[in-house]
Amino acid sequence: QVQLVESGGGLVQAGGSLRLSCAASGRTFSSYVMGWFRQAPGKEREFVAAITWSGEKTYYADFVKGRFTISRDNAKNTVYLQMNSLKPEDTAIYYCAASRTTIQAPAFYNYWGQGTQVTVSS
């Protein structure tokens, strides 16, 4: 069992930066692939980024490549999403999730946080 709590969301102007954190409970955190998803109003939840248990491999959606960076600290049971050059279209609720696979679809993630709101003003 893994419990996830996101933090770090907020309101930022276009071009600004935010760093999201996701704190996990559970001794098996380091064995999970950790991912970030987002959901804007009226839209489906979409994959943003993921990182393998060792941190050796990372995966990104095309629309965030070069702007967002995912990282993890297994000693702190925490995964991060550094978001730079934010755009109004990045506005969404961002969710942290844990999976046993690297398949980048919500259905393959077993545990989810409650989400944190990110709003980017133009």
Side-chain angles (χ1 to χ4, degrees), residues 1-2 8 10-13 29 31 35 47 50 71 73 78 82-83 99 103 111 113 116:
Q1 187 80 9
V2 178
L11 173 64
V12 64
Q13 289 188 332
F29 168 78
S31 66
F47 170 78
S71 60
D73 185 337
T78 302
Q82 178 67 44
M83 305 187 295
S99 174
I103 299 173
Y111 304 102
T116 186

Side-chain angles (χ1 to χ4, degrees), residues 51-70:
I51 187 167
T52 55
W53 68 271
S54 66
E56 184 175 341
K57 292 186 178 180
T58 56
Y59 307 86
Y60 295 96
D62 286 343
F63 53 78
V64 302
K65 283 182 180 177
R67 300 190 299 126
F68 291 11
T69 303
I70 189 170

Side-chain angles (χ1 to χ4, degrees), residues 1 8 21 24-25 30 37 39 49 56 58-59 62 69 80 84 87-89 91-92 101 103 105 112 120:
Q1 187 80 9
S21 298
S25 63
S30 61
F37 290 78
Q39 189 166 18
E56 184 175 341
T58 56
Y59 307 86
D62 286 343
T69 303
Y80 305 97
N84 299 328
K87 304 175 182 180
E89 51 264 44
T91 294
T101 83
I103 299 173
W112 292 84
V120 184

